[in-house]
Amino acid sequence: MDKELIIDATATDVKIGLIENGRLVEIHNQKTNDNFTVGDIFLGQIKKLMPGLNAAFVDIGHKKDAFLHYTDLGPKLRSLVKFANGSINGQLNTHRLDNFKVDPEIIKTGKIDQVLNKRQPILVQVLKEPISTKGPRLSCEITIPGRFLVLTPFNDVVAVSKKISNSEERKRLKTLVESIRPKGFGVIVRTAAEGKKVADLHEELNMMLQKWEDIHKQLYKAKPPMKLLSELDKTSSILRDILTDDFTKIVVNDKQLFYNIKNYLTSFAPDK
């Protein structure tokens, strides 16, 4: 199958079309003046608790406060808060979670004002971009995605994408990832990992751990709101998610974007 990516960039937006065997199968549109995108990680500050909505409004530096619902806190909230606070005040001197004591999970049916306080700093990830009058939607279930794997702090589960249907391959990947998984982190194995060698997966895992270390270092004495990790722009994140060996051509009309994509490919798929 021939796969082409056609990228049309203007001063205000970037349109991305995915063509398979001469047919347009996907189209994406990204405004170029966004100051954040889905996947960005921030140290925010709780501005307002809304018990009626079972949610909080969080300042992440956007003109409209972001929305954080109880169901998006994730069961590991207490561990996340402990890690963030320990990193901010300097009590936690490593990003590694080998000796980090994971706190009890919060209950699914709990109330927002039982687990969060007004003005407290909170580590959050953008779940959805803002729509018209609403601010962005947030999650406290932090994930660090790569091309083959997704790193999930404070848990120890290895999950393999259901799109990998071969049971032998699923077993191989699960065993392999279990052997290289750092203690205190869970890993989701993505479809693109099928057939990959341990060296490829290990290299990516180290890159993702490096990002987690960067977050930990930036948290020291940090004052919210502050961006800690920026997700790739949509062009690069689409490349990361769909790039396979049958990818044959990328056409782009913007010099800066051309260099960004070239640099991205050099690090993620040098043979391309």
Side-chain angles (χ1 to χ4, degrees):
M1 185 191 289
D2 276 353
K3 272 191 190 175
E4 294 178 43
L5 206 59
I6 311 291
I7 303 165
D8 173 31
T10 68
T12 55
D13 66 355
V14 179
K15 288 191 183 73
I16 302 160
L18 174 63
I19 294 172
E20 289 182 357
N21 292 338
R23 289 185 62 198
L24 179 69
V25 291
E26 268 178 47
I27 194 152
H28 300 263
N29 198 359
Q30 180 191 21
K31 294 271 180 267
T32 51
N33 57 358
D34 283 350
N35 56 356
F36 57 81
T37 102
V38 169
D40 284 356
I41 296 171
F42 287 84
L43 179 68
Q45 185 173 41
I46 306 283
K47 290 300 286 282
K48 203 186 287 179
L49 294 172
M50 305 292 284
L53 296 171
N54 207 14
F57 284 103
V58 183
D59 177 14
I60 60 167
H62 187 251
K63 59 182 183 289
K64 289 219 163 29
D65 287 340
F67 184 77
L68 175 62
H69 193 269
Y70 187 91
T71 52
D72 293 320
L73 295 176
K76 307 291 184 185
L77 177 76
R78 289 191 180 104
S79 300
L80 181 78
V81 168
K82 184 163 87 171
F83 177 85
N85 290 344
S87 303
I88 291 166
N89 62 32
Q91 287 176 327
L92 204 63
N93 57 12
T94 177
H95 67 291
R96 300 198 72 89
L97 303 176
D98 306 43
N99 301 313
F100 181 86
K101 190 175 179 299
V102 173
D103 281 0
E105 295 188 355
I106 63 170
I107 57 169
K108 279 184 180 172
T109 53
K111 296 281 176 270
I112 197 98
D113 50 3
Q114 294 168 344
V115 292
L116 294 177
N117 303 309
K118 198 176 171 193
R119 284 198 285 280
Q120 90 174 69
I122 183 101
L123 204 54
V124 289
Q125 191 161 26
V126 177
L127 200 59
K128 281 186 182 162
E129 287 172 4
I131 308 164
S132 65
T133 59
K134 292 178 177 170
R137 183 156 182 173
L138 304 175
S139 168
C140 288
E141 294 195 80
I142 305 294
T143 59
I144 298 175
R147 191 174 157 214
F148 308 128
L149 308 169
V150 179
L151 195 64
T152 59
F154 316 112
N155 91 48
D156 53 7
V157 176
V158 172
V160 181
S161 164
K162 288 189 170 62
K163 287 183 183 167
I164 299 175
S165 50
N166 182 307
S167 59
E168 283 302 307
E169 178 62 358
R170 290 176 67 85
K171 205 158 138 191
R172 179 189 80 91
L173 285 167
K174 197 168 166 65
T175 308
L176 199 155
V177 171
E178 280 285 8
S179 69
I180 59 173
R181 173 183 71 83
K183 198 171 173 221
F185 292 89
V187 178
I188 299 163
V189 181
R190 306 182 74 162
T191 316
E194 193 165 4
K196 290 292 174 244
K197 296 187 179 78
V198 66
D200 298 328
L201 303 183
H202 202 224
E203 184 185 1
E204 185 172 90
L205 205 50
N206 286 336
M207 279 168 66
M208 292 189 291
L209 266 178
Q210 182 65 56
K211 288 182 180 179
W212 181 249
E213 184 177 8
D214 291 345
I215 289 171
H216 167 70
K217 283 178 177 167
Q218 288 180 81
L219 279 171
Y220 181 56
K221 292 186 175 173
K223 297 268 186 288
M226 178 181 175
K227 186 189 277 192
L228 300 168
L229 181 72
S230 189
E231 203 6 318
L232 300 161
D233 61 71
K234 195 168 277 185
T235 318
S236 301
S237 62
I238 288 169
L239 279 178
R240 182 191 63 201
D241 293 343
I242 65 174
L243 193 69
T244 52
D245 293 341
D246 52 6
F247 220 89
T248 47
K249 191 199 272 183
I250 298 171
V251 182
V252 59
N253 65 346
D254 179 272
K255 196 173 271 189
Q256 187 53 53
L257 211 45
F258 169 80
Y259 288 119
N260 290 355
I261 294 167
K262 201 168 178 182
N263 290 338
Y264 173 78
L265 285 171
T266 306
S267 60
F268 272 87
D271 53 316
K272 289 286 177 185

